[in-house]
Every structure is written in C-alpha cells, then in structure tokens.
Amino acid sequence: MHQFVTALQSKLLKFQIDMFRGIKLLLPILLTIIIHSGYAQTPLPSPDLKSAGLQSPEQFLGYKLGTRFTRHADILRYLDYLLAQAPDRMKLQNYGTTYEGRPLMLATISAPANLNQLEEIRTNNLKRIGLLTGQPTASKPVIAWLSYNVHGNEAVSSEAVLQVLYDLLDVNNAKTQQWLQKTVVLIDPCVNPDGRERYVQWYGQVAAAGSNANPIAREHQEPWPGGRPNHYLFDLNRDLAWQTQKETQHRIAVYNQWMPHLHADFHEMSPEASYYFSPAAKPFHEDITPWQREFQNIIGDNNRKYFDANRWLYFTRETYDLFYPSYGDTWPTFNGAIAMTYEQGGSGRAGLTYTRTSGDTLTLTQRIAHHHTASLATLEAVADRSEKVVQEFQKYYQRNQTNPPGTYQTYVLKAKNEEAKIRSLTTYLDRQQIQYGFAANTNTLMAFNYANGKTEGAKIEKNDLVISLRQPKATLIKVLFEPASKLEDSLTYDITSWAIPYAYGLQAYAIKGKVAQTTAKPATITQTNTVPSTDKPYAYVARWNSLQDLQFLSELLNHNINIRYSEKAFASEEQQYAPGTLIITRAGNEQTGDKFDALIKTAAEKAGVQITPTRTGFVSSGADFGSSSVRYLKKPKVAILAGSGISSTGFGEIWHFFEQQIHFPVTVLDAQTLGRVSWSDLDVLILPGGYYGDILPELILNQVKDWVRNGGKLIALESATGFLAGKKDFALVSKKNTDSVDIKKNPYKLLKPYGESERSAISEQVQGSIYRVTLDNTHPLAYGYGTTYFALIQNAINYQFMTNGWNVGVLKKDTYASGFVGAQVRKKLQDTLILGHQQLGQGDIVYMADNPLFRAFWHNGKLLFGNAVFMVGQ
Ligand SMILES: [Zn+2]
C-alpha cells in the first residue's frame, strides 16, 4: 500500500519541488527573523506563513490542519515528501506492519552532523549502558522519542505531529535547528494506524457539512468498538510490558535498538477535560528514581510556561499515575528513560468541533495547538539539559549493574516438566533484553516461595531458569518479577499486581543472594522436538499443561486428526501421565495414510511440544488406550459474540486467542443477529463480558437453553456470568448481599464524608489482584493444573458454591496473594465460586467469573479457557 502511494506521489513531488525552488533561495533569512523569534509567545504560528521552500502540512495536503482528519495514507505521503526534501536531516524507517497491513513508520530527525554518524550515536548509547560491548566514542546527543496516536480515536495526535515534523525540518526555524544540534528526535507519527483509520473513516462518513458541535450529533457517538484499540481490540497503551500485539512487538524491537533517554506519549481524554501534563499523579512506583521524579517537574515547568502565556487551561498531578508498568510512560521509565503522558481534552467524542457543557466550543485546531506546543516544549526541555539527561541515564544503568534495587538479587523459576512455559518465558525475556542463565547445580537455599508466600528452604535444581538482578535491565526485572508491588496510594486506575511467575503459572522463588548459573541453554529448552525414532508406533502421547499443548491440539484438529485424551492418570512405558494427556493412536487415523507420523511430528515441532511414541496400547496403571474413559475429542465449531453491548476488550482477547495464539477457526457473531443463528451449526458459544439485557431477552435466552439441552456448550466469562446468575435453569447463584445487615448493626456506616467519596468507593473495588484459586483438577476444566491456580481478580466476584454443578475453582479463606483489594471486597471474595460447570440436558454451561485471557499476558489462564472449549463435556 505504501509503495504504491510513494510511486504515485513522486510524480507530484517533482512538480511541487520545482515550483518552490525559486522562492526557497530568497526568503529564509527574512522569515526566520519575522516568524520564529516569536515562538515563546505564539507557539503555533499560522502554517501558511511558513513557505520558505519546505511545504507546510497545509501546503502539501491542500487544507488547513484542523479542518479535517488526515488519512493515514496522506500522513505517509507527507513523510515521504519530507524525506525527499531533507535527506540530510531525516531518515524514515518502516519498522513493521499492523494486523490490517498498514505500515508502521519511524522518522529520525537531527542536525546533518548527527545524522551522518547516526549509527555511531545509537551504538554509543547502548555501549554506555552495557547493552552492547565495546568502548563508546565521545559523541553524546540526547535521544528523544515521541509517540503519537497509540489510541486510534485520540486523533488529534497524528495531526499535531505533522506540524511538529515540519518545524523540526524547517531550516529557518532557529530554535528547532539549535535543539537538533544536540538531540536525535525519533518520531512515531501513528502508533496505531488501524484504530486511527477506523475512527477517521467513520467520522468522514457521518460528520455534518462543516461539522456539528452539538454533543448529541451522530458524529460524536462513535459506534462499537470505537477507534481506540488496535485490530484485535487491544489497548496498546496497556501492552508495552507484555508485548502481545504485533504493533508493540515491532515497536519495542526498534525501541530496544535505540534505548531513548526520553519518551513522550500523546493522548486524549474526555472532551470536557482541559489538558494534562506532568508531573504525574500518585501513586508513583517506588522504583522511579529521584532524577526521573525531578524531570517530571522540569517538563511540567516548561509546558506551564507556554500554556500560561497562551492562557490555556491545564492540570497536573491528577488522574494519570505512574504505577502499572505497561503504559507508554511507565515501561520506558523502568527502562531508565524520563517519560511522560500528554492528554488533550477531546478523543473520539470531540470530532472537529464540540460544545462543552460550559458552553465554549472545543475545536480540532485548538487541540492541535496544545499537542504541538507540548511536543516542542518537551524537546526544548530535554535539549537544554542534554548532557545531564544522558549522564543520568548512564548512571541509572551503572547502578542497575552494581547496586540493583529491591530485596531480592535473584529470581529462580522451576524448569522441570515446564519446558514449554520456560521457552515462552525466555522468548519474552529476550524481547526485553533481560539476561538469564540456568542453575549450574542443585542446591537448597532460603527463598521467598511464590506459591505460598512464605520464606523457606527451597530446592534449586540444575537447569532451573535463573535471573540475576546484576544486569542493565535490573529495575525492569524487579518491577516485573517482584512478588508484591508496594502501593503508596491505592487510587490508581489499572491493575495493581502482575508478577510474571504468577502470570506464567510457574513455580518460582525470589532469593536474596546469588545463584551459580551457566548461560548455556539446557538441551530440554533448546530442543523442541525430540521424538525418538520408532517404527510405526502404536500411538503418540502428549502431556497437557501449557498454551503450546493447545497449539499442538489445534494444529492436529485442523488436519482432521482423530485425537483422544485420558480422563484418568495413567502410566505407560514407565512414564506417569496426568488426566488430560492427549493420546493419538494410529488406529482411527487410517485416513492419513503414510503421512500419519510426519503430520504428528510436524505439528509437535511447530508448537514446540514434546511427544512420546508408544509401542503398546496397554498401560501399567490407569485405563488402556482403547478404554471408554479415553475419550474421543471432537473438533468443535466455535462462535464468539461481538458487537454493541459486548466488552470490546473481552471479545478481542478471545478473538486474538483463537486467531493469533492457537490458530483455530472461530466464527464471530454479531450479538444483534443471535436470533437468526442456525443453532445446529454451532457446538460452542462464548459470551465475553458485557451487558446482556438487550442481547439475551427471554425469547433468545430460551433458544440458547434449548440448544444447550440438545448438546451445545455455553461458555460465559466475567459479567456474562453475572447476567446468567439466578436465571431459570442456570445453576449459578449470587451470594446474599450482607451490606444491609451490616448497616442494621451499625447505622453509622452510612455516614461517609463527601470529600472522601473517591476513597470510600475503592473499599468496594478489587484492582487486578492475584488470588490463589483452589482447583478440582480431576475435572476436565482444570486438566493440566495442580490443585491451585493463580488468578488475576478484577471484579468483586460473589457467587455461592453451586448445588447443581461442579465447583471446579473456588476462593477459600486466606487465598489473597498480591495487589490492592478494598476491605469490603475482601469479605465478598472469601468462599466464592470462580470456575464452574453445569450439565443441562445433553449440553454444558461453563462459568468463568474472572477473565482467564486478560490482555493476553495472563498466560496461566489460557489452558483453563482451552479446557473449557475443547475438554469439558466431551
Ligand atoms: Zn489515550
């Protein structure tokens, strides 16, 4: 797409370049004096005055910025144009593509002298912080990275950046040219083009001629799912640390090649709000350094200067905190950068014009002016302190390597029988440039045990994964691995707990001392396919305990291989196997002919799982392979509900799971068309969280129940379980609300100070906290797990144990592990059902009250969800 546009554009460019070459020579000096000396007072000079050769966005696009939204293809055209005009001051890199095939671009802009030795500047930086070996040379420009439009419908960002690009490349702009002498600026003009185009295309279709500022007008009512997220409806500004989305993976790969000293992330918030810049709100994560905190103020002061001069409204120190590590400000912060978020009042509701409740009209032009000014103020602040910023960055990395933060020096993750999970974890660590090794010998050490929260003697075995904190990325490791993150203030608006060992479902220890390690990967980790050569084995056996096992199953089902699984534990040829183990017998797969073995081996290799060939169907304990308790696993026809009323992120996580993680076909149904579904075509229907009142009225709910009775399987997640709870024929029931009893006992409970309303509300909240769920792993829903599972709980789940179903996962007493939970919720979460299974007629209903697929980073929940889809009710 991009190439095509470029070719077309080059013809146009020749003409435009020629046209302006004449005046280019005459005007620069005069214009510099007239226009750019006035920057401090008027941060956004009218673009049409700037015509000394380089075309402004207005001249190039043919319309004034702010009078319409610029299409992504036109943003790309302008980038190409700028590159053609200023090849000595700009580089342009296509660093990846989105799920919908749009190019992701990074512009690098600096003074010609810097651009000439760009590679040296880049590698010098990495050498100075220990991520590259060798001696750095003297050159030390500061590296600043600006990101725009990570939320697609916060569409002002990619407009403002066009003016920023122009200002940086305009040789007549004395200020920017001075900054660029000591600054390398990296600009990502559109982090989320799929989301942005979803918004821009829609707005173009529905906006009134000349726009309608009335908030009730259609152009201010963005339809589901809105342009904020990416293709799979993930919030890319929650994905920096987990890197589950293509856009983030590409972006982090290039970020890590640079390791910028500053990262600024441009956003929008409610159109009723004014403008937000640093300093950020509390809580700050405790590992944010004094210098990083100080720079929050420096950057705030520099913005304030311009916002005050223009009499623009703004606020600081509220709402936008620095705690959850996966934002565009926090993740760079834990990578040593100074980083900040900018928020303009606007977003997908604001359109081109919007009448606020105060009566004044917010325009896109104003929004552009604010983000443009903040961008330049940021660059000015960092350029003015370039030496100090580079020096502090270097100090940060030196401290990480010699005196890392926190109580623990080493994290150890048990590797035995967890090879697939360890492999996926090491891939994740590689992406983050986190170094690791493997335990050199077996030893018993005092350690914090993640499984029970106790410090006790822990057996570290040879080949366990070892991560020492004495390395460049120590702070990031500490933040991602620490068992519990210290919260200085509970008013934060994202999850409060995320420790990687829980997220991966790995047994782990945190140790105060060192652990002897080798860097050589053990064969069990590197070799993904170690199938002994056996001539025509009777069957292949595959263990069932990871996402990779699900990928393997999916691959086999896609090749129509007949698969079975054992309901009981068994022993075969001196190996012990747990319930859920897959058994692929030659018998029953005659249709594959002589390709049987190759198909199985290729699938195992692709998924990275180990399979064991057997010579017999006889087992020394458990049920023989021909037994009826070795169940046939039918390939299900699966559908997910999407559309208005459904949680877009909840749906997106399920969609991404099927298409991108296990590669299994799934049909997405629009919730509004459920009444017209041909039920006999469906085996599994998945209800993501959402508001189901309008989607499942009695008539349609009855159809769903009839379908279940005839053998269908309904899987309800999060708030969908709440909708079904208490309804006729559904076994799930909410616990009685005891609040009124408490108030009868103590009526003073009602006397809450108005000024503390926000604070008293949080006693009713659980903010992404980790709990230990007690599992019945003899039930298919919990196959592959031990007797406990660490869940990330985000709702005050409050269900009775079922009397007419299987209580597969429950929260008992004292099962809290980490994160913030309000006092009221703590009580509710005790003795509640989390995972349940009910049989109804010939069919099944699975209740999953938490979200096992949260942001695709809660890897530990993926097998549970896979069990619900593939194992339960077979
Ligand atoms: Zn945003």
PDB file of all heavy atoms in Angstrom, residues 150-151 154 228 237 266-268 343, ligand 1:
ATOM      1  N   VAL A 150      -1.384   6.392  19.901  1.00  0.00           N
ATOM      2  CA  VAL A 150      -1.429   4.979  20.292  1.00  0.00           C
ATOM      3  C   VAL A 150      -2.879   4.543  20.481  1.00  0.00           C
ATOM      4  O   VAL A 150      -3.234   3.397  20.225  1.00  0.00           O
ATOM      5  CB  VAL A 150      -0.567   4.725  21.559  1.00  0.00           C
ATOM      6  CG1 VAL A 150      -1.057   5.533  22.743  1.00  0.00           C
ATOM      7  CG2 VAL A 150      -0.552   3.245  21.908  1.00  0.00           C
ATOM      8  N   HIS A 151      -3.713   5.464  20.919  1.00  0.00           N
ATOM      9  CA  HIS A 151      -5.162   5.222  20.921  1.00  0.00           C
ATOM     10  C   HIS A 151      -5.724   5.858  19.650  1.00  0.00           C
ATOM     11  O   HIS A 151      -5.659   7.071  19.466  1.00  0.00           O
ATOM     12  CB  HIS A 151      -5.800   5.825  22.170  1.00  0.00           C
ATOM     13  CG  HIS A 151      -5.446   5.067  23.414  1.00  0.00           C
ATOM     14  ND1 HIS A 151      -5.185   5.676  24.619  1.00  0.00           N
ATOM     15  CD2 HIS A 151      -5.291   3.736  23.613  1.00  0.00           C
ATOM     16  CE1 HIS A 151      -4.896   4.734  25.509  1.00  0.00           C
ATOM     17  NE2 HIS A 151      -4.949   3.555  24.921  1.00  0.00           N
ATOM     18  N   GLU A 154      -7.962   8.954  19.467  1.00  0.00           N
ATOM     19  CA  GLU A 154      -7.441  10.196  20.049  1.00  0.00           C
ATOM     20  C   GLU A 154      -6.681  10.888  18.925  1.00  0.00           C
ATOM     21  O   GLU A 154      -5.462  11.043  18.924  1.00  0.00           O
ATOM     22  CB  GLU A 154      -6.584   9.859  21.270  1.00  0.00           C
ATOM     23  CG  GLU A 154      -7.448   9.182  22.338  1.00  0.00           C
ATOM     24  CD  GLU A 154      -6.691   8.567  23.492  1.00  0.00           C
ATOM     25  OE1 GLU A 154      -5.463   8.741  23.556  1.00  0.00           O
ATOM     26  OE2 GLU A 154      -7.332   7.919  24.325  1.00  0.00           O
ATOM     27  N   ARG A 228     -10.299   3.402  19.448  1.00  0.00           N
ATOM     28  CA  ARG A 228      -9.225   3.411  20.447  1.00  0.00           C
ATOM     29  C   ARG A 228      -8.255   2.229  20.310  1.00  0.00           C
ATOM     30  O   ARG A 228      -7.049   2.431  20.246  1.00  0.00           O
ATOM     31  CB  ARG A 228      -9.854   3.429  21.845  1.00  0.00           C
ATOM     32  CG  ARG A 228      -8.869   3.354  22.990  1.00  0.00           C
ATOM     33  CD  ARG A 228      -9.657   3.266  24.318  1.00  0.00           C
ATOM     34  NE  ARG A 228      -8.807   2.998  25.450  1.00  0.00           N
ATOM     35  CZ  ARG A 228      -8.247   3.932  26.219  1.00  0.00           C
ATOM     36  NH1 ARG A 228      -8.448   5.201  25.946  1.00  0.00           N
ATOM     37  NH2 ARG A 228      -7.499   3.618  27.252  1.00  0.00           N
ATOM     38  N   ASN A 237      -1.828   0.870  24.796  1.00  0.00           N
ATOM     39  CA  ASN A 237      -1.186   1.576  25.905  1.00  0.00           C
ATOM     40  C   ASN A 237      -1.294   0.780  27.210  1.00  0.00           C
ATOM     41  O   ASN A 237      -1.094   1.312  28.285  1.00  0.00           O
ATOM     42  CB  ASN A 237      -1.785   2.966  26.093  1.00  0.00           C
ATOM     43  CG  ASN A 237      -0.939   3.826  27.023  1.00  0.00           C
ATOM     44  OD1 ASN A 237       0.284   3.749  26.993  1.00  0.00           O
ATOM     45  ND2 ASN A 237      -1.593   4.627  27.871  1.00  0.00           N
ATOM     46  N   PHE A 266       1.491  10.792  23.372  1.00  0.00           N
ATOM     47  CA  PHE A 266       0.422  11.787  23.195  1.00  0.00           C
ATOM     48  C   PHE A 266      -0.952  11.148  23.099  1.00  0.00           C
ATOM     49  O   PHE A 266      -1.180  10.271  22.272  1.00  0.00           O
ATOM     50  CB  PHE A 266       0.727  12.666  21.980  1.00  0.00           C
ATOM     51  CG  PHE A 266       1.924  13.537  22.231  1.00  0.00           C
ATOM     52  CD1 PHE A 266       3.210  13.067  22.013  1.00  0.00           C
ATOM     53  CD2 PHE A 266       1.757  14.817  22.756  1.00  0.00           C
ATOM     54  CE1 PHE A 266       4.316  13.861  22.288  1.00  0.00           C
ATOM     55  CE2 PHE A 266       2.863  15.613  23.045  1.00  0.00           C
ATOM     56  CZ  PHE A 266       4.138  15.138  22.800  1.00  0.00           C
ATOM     57  N   HIS A 267      -1.852  11.623  23.952  1.00  0.00           N
ATOM     58  CA  HIS A 267      -3.188  11.036  24.114  1.00  0.00           C
ATOM     59  C   HIS A 267      -4.272  12.101  24.122  1.00  0.00           C
ATOM     60  O   HIS A 267      -3.991  13.290  24.086  1.00  0.00           O
ATOM     61  CB  HIS A 267      -3.265  10.322  25.466  1.00  0.00           C
ATOM     62  CG  HIS A 267      -2.462   9.079  25.552  1.00  0.00           C
ATOM     63  ND1 HIS A 267      -3.017   7.844  25.401  1.00  0.00           N
ATOM     64  CD2 HIS A 267      -1.138   8.875  25.764  1.00  0.00           C
ATOM     65  CE1 HIS A 267      -2.081   6.927  25.532  1.00  0.00           C
ATOM     66  NE2 HIS A 267      -0.920   7.526  25.746  1.00  0.00           N
ATOM     67  N   GLU A 268      -5.498  11.593  24.231  1.00  0.00           N
ATOM     68  CA  GLU A 268      -6.630  12.482  24.536  1.00  0.00           C
ATOM     69  C   GLU A 268      -7.513  11.852  25.596  1.00  0.00           C
ATOM     70  O   GLU A 268      -7.521  10.637  25.778  1.00  0.00           O
ATOM     71  CB  GLU A 268      -7.458  12.763  23.276  1.00  0.00           C
ATOM     72  CG  GLU A 268      -6.770  13.740  22.339  1.00  0.00           C
ATOM     73  CD  GLU A 268      -7.703  14.196  21.238  1.00  0.00           C
ATOM     74  OE1 GLU A 268      -7.811  13.480  20.224  1.00  0.00           O
ATOM     75  OE2 GLU A 268      -8.327  15.264  21.402  1.00  0.00           O
ATOM     76  N   GLU A 343      -2.166  14.545  27.732  1.00  0.00           N
ATOM     77  CA  GLU A 343      -3.577  14.260  27.488  1.00  0.00           C
ATOM     78  C   GLU A 343      -4.310  15.552  27.119  1.00  0.00           C
ATOM     79  O   GLU A 343      -4.372  16.488  27.915  1.00  0.00           O
ATOM     80  CB  GLU A 343      -4.241  13.665  28.742  1.00  0.00           C
ATOM     81  CG  GLU A 343      -3.675  12.336  29.190  1.00  0.00           C
ATOM     82  CD  GLU A 343      -4.321  11.141  28.500  1.00  0.00           C
ATOM     83  OE1 GLU A 343      -5.311  11.339  27.753  1.00  0.00           O
ATOM     84  OE2 GLU A 343      -3.844  10.018  28.712  1.00  0.00           O
TER      85      GLU A 343
HETATM   86 ZN    ZN B   1      -5.067   7.563  25.230  1.00  0.00          ZN
END
